[in-house]
Amino acid sequence: ESPEKELVIGFSQCTTYDDWRKAMDQEMRRELSFHENVHFKFRDASGNNDLQIQQIRELVKSGLDLLIVSPNEAEPITPVVEEVFESGIPVILLDRKTNSNLYTAFVGADNYQIGQMAAQYIVRYVNGKGHIIEIKGLSGSTPFIERHQGFKQTIQQFPDIQVSPVEGDWGVKRDGKAAFIQLLEKDQDYDMVFAHNDILAIAAQKVQAESYPSSNLKIMGVDGLPGPRGGIQYVSDGLLHATILYPTGGDKAIQLAMDILNNRSFQKENILKTTVIDSSNVDVMKNYTHEIRSMESDMDRMEQKIQEQLEIFTTQRNLLYTLSLL
Ligand code: FRU
C-alpha cells in the first residue's frame, strides 16, 4: 500500500439514530485511523430513502474511489446502487442489502439464520406450544425481511404455536408499544416476545414492568450491544430473557475496502458470526466485551496522543523552517 496515494471512501449510512449505528461508525473510524491516506466522507440519511439516494449521488459526484452503503430500504435504494456499481466504483453493502447482485461485496451477519435461531430458541423454551408476539423491524429493510422469513419458516412447523405481529420499524418511527399494549389488554396469555431488535425488546419490557408486572412474559431481542444501555447488560440484569448478537461489521467493512482498493484478493460475501446470549453465557460475553471495550478506549487515547504529537511536530518543523529563512 503506497502511503502517498490519496483514497476517498464514501459511506452512506441509513440512520444514526441508535447506539448500534453509533457503534458501527466508531468501529469504522478506529479502523480508518490506521490509514492516513484515506479521506472519509460520511452522510447520514436519517431513515429517509429519498435523502439517501440524493446523498449517494452527491457523494459520487464529489469524487469517490469506493462507496460503502447501508441501504435504508432495499427496493428504493437498489437502482442508485446499481448505477454506482456499473459506473465502475466498487460498492460494499453493509448490514442491509439491496435487491440486486450488482455490488462488489457484502459485510454482515446472516439475518435469515438469526430469525431461525430465535424461532428454535422459542420453540424449545415453550415446548412446541404457546402464544408468541413478534415485534417487527422496518418492513422494506432486508434484515427485517430475512429475520421474519427465517422465523416464520421455522415456527410454522409447529401448529400449536401462534404468532401475533406488531409493527415496530426498528423503534425509530414507532416502537410498537401501543399495539403491544392492545394485544396484552385483550389477552395476557402470551408466553414470549421476539422483538427484531433490542430497542423494541426493551420498549416491550418497559410496558410489561409498568402495566403487567405479574405476567411471566419472556422477551427476546437482537443486537446484543456491549455497554450500560446494550442488550448484553439487559440480559445480565434479567430485563431481557435473551438477545442474539448482531455484529455491526464497521471495522470489517473498512478492512475490506482497503483490500479492494489495493487490489488484494477478497470475498464477495463476508458473513459475520452470531450467537444467542442468555443467562447461560451472558457473564462470559460481558467479561469479553468489557475487555475489548477497554482495549478500544486505550487505542482511542493512543490515537489522540499520536495526533497531538504530530501537531506539535508540525508546528515545530514550521517554526524551524521559518527560522531558517530569517
Ligand atoms: C440499527 C438497527 C439494528 C438492527 C439493524 C438492522 O439501526 O435497527 O437495531 O439490528 O439496524 O439493519
Side-chain angles (χ1 to χ4, degrees):
E1 181 175 322
S2 62
E4 57 278 359
K5 196 175 160 213
E6 280 292 317
L7 295 169
V8 184
I9 297 178
F11 176 34
S12 166
Q13 173 67 298
C14 51
T15 169
T16 50
Y17 169 84
D18 56 273
D19 289 342
W20 190 84
R21 303 252 159 221
K22 287 180 189 139
M24 180 197 271
D25 295 344
Q26 238 184 1
E27 276 176 31
M28 285 185 149
R29 289 182 196 280
R30 194 169 292 121
E31 196 62 36
L32 281 162
S33 70
F34 297 122
H35 307 282
E36 297 221 328
N37 59 327
V38 174
H39 182 59
F40 188 62
K41 293 181 180 171
F42 176 81
R43 296 290 180 280
D44 167 15
S46 305
N48 180 327
N49 297 321
D50 293 333
L51 183 60
Q52 185 160 35
I53 295 167
Q54 188 191 322
Q55 288 176 334
I56 291 174
R57 294 234 161 86
E58 283 165 6
L59 278 172
V60 169
K61 223 169 148 192
S62 74
L64 283 191
D65 293 299
L66 182 143
L67 174 72
I68 302 173
V69 49
S70 202
N72 188 52
E73 291 187 278
E75 204 176 289
I77 309 300
T78 297
V80 68
V81 169
E82 287 184 327
E83 263 171 51
V84 177
F85 176 79
E86 287 188 316
S87 79
I89 299 173
V91 179
I92 297 177
L93 301 178
L94 179 51
D95 136 68
R96 299 189 188 179
K97 301 174 185 167
T98 59
N99 286 338
S100 158
N101 55 18
L102 297 182
Y103 59 89
T104 314
F106 166 77
V107 180
D110 180 343
N111 282 300
Y112 185 84
Q113 185 198 9
I114 287 178
Q116 280 181 319
M117 283 164 81
Q120 285 157 358
Y121 190 93
I122 287 172
V123 166
R124 221 175 305 130
Y125 192 82
V126 302
N127 245 323
K129 187 176 185 315
H131 282 186
I132 313 299
I133 297 174
E134 180 185 7
I135 308 181
K136 300 175 167 186
L138 178 66
S139 61
S141 66
T142 58
F144 161 69
I145 297 166
E146 293 169 355
R147 283 174 201 177
H148 177 67
Q149 282 304 320
F151 186 72
K152 192 170 133 193
Q153 278 164 18
T154 308
I155 282 280
Q156 69 191 11
Q157 297 165 22
F158 297 85
D160 291 335
I161 295 185
Q162 277 110 49
V163 180
S164 301
V166 168
E167 301 300 325
D169 282 341
W170 299 128
V172 178
K173 288 191 199 110
R174 50 184 160 183
D175 59 14
K177 264 188 185 171
F180 181 63
I181 291 168
Q182 264 179 16
L183 280 181
L184 293 183
E185 272 171 355
K186 269 192 265 154
D187 177 6
Q188 285 172 47
D189 195 24
Y190 287 99
D191 302 291
M192 266 190 117
V193 174
F194 169 46
H196 277 237
N197 69 8
D198 288 340
I199 302 172
L200 299 169
I202 210 67
Q205 189 278 328
K206 286 217 173 78
V207 170
Q208 181 191 12
E210 279 159 21
S211 310
Y212 303 93
S214 59
S215 94
N216 204 19
L217 195 62
K218 300 285 182 238
I219 302 169
M220 180 167 190
V222 180
D223 282 346
L225 275 179
R229 281 178 307 146
I232 295 179
Q233 188 61 45
Y234 295 150
V235 172
S236 171
D237 291 343
L239 299 177
L240 299 186
H241 182 76
T243 184
I244 301 179
L245 181 72
Y246 188 55
T248 70
D251 48 352
K252 178 74 197 168
I254 297 297
Q255 288 161 12
L256 187 63
M258 297 316 289
D259 284 343
I260 294 170
L261 289 169
N262 290 295
N263 297 314
R264 289 191 288 260
S265 67
F266 65 92
Q267 303 221 304
K268 183 166 180 182
E269 305 298 323
N270 300 272
I271 307 305
L272 305 173
K273 289 208 181 82
T274 174
T275 183
V276 174
I277 302 169
D278 67 2
S279 59
S280 72
N281 61 355
V282 71
D283 287 341
V284 180
M285 287 300 292
K286 235 177 104 171
N287 290 339
Y288 177 67
T289 53
H290 186 76
E291 259 171 53
I292 292 184
R293 270 163 76 84
S294 75
M295 256 156 59
E296 283 172 347
S297 71
D298 283 351
M299 271 173 64
D300 290 347
R301 273 205 304 277
M302 259 157 68
E303 163 69 12
Q304 213 192 332
K305 275 264 173 287
I306 292 172
Q307 286 307 329
E308 282 167 18
Q309 290 302 319
L310 262 176
E311 270 160 40
I312 295 172
F313 171 74
T314 318
T315 324
Q316 283 176 346
R317 195 188 50 192
N318 289 347
L319 191 67
L320 278 176
Y321 181 68
T322 319
L323 285 174
S324 73
L325 289 182
L326 292 177

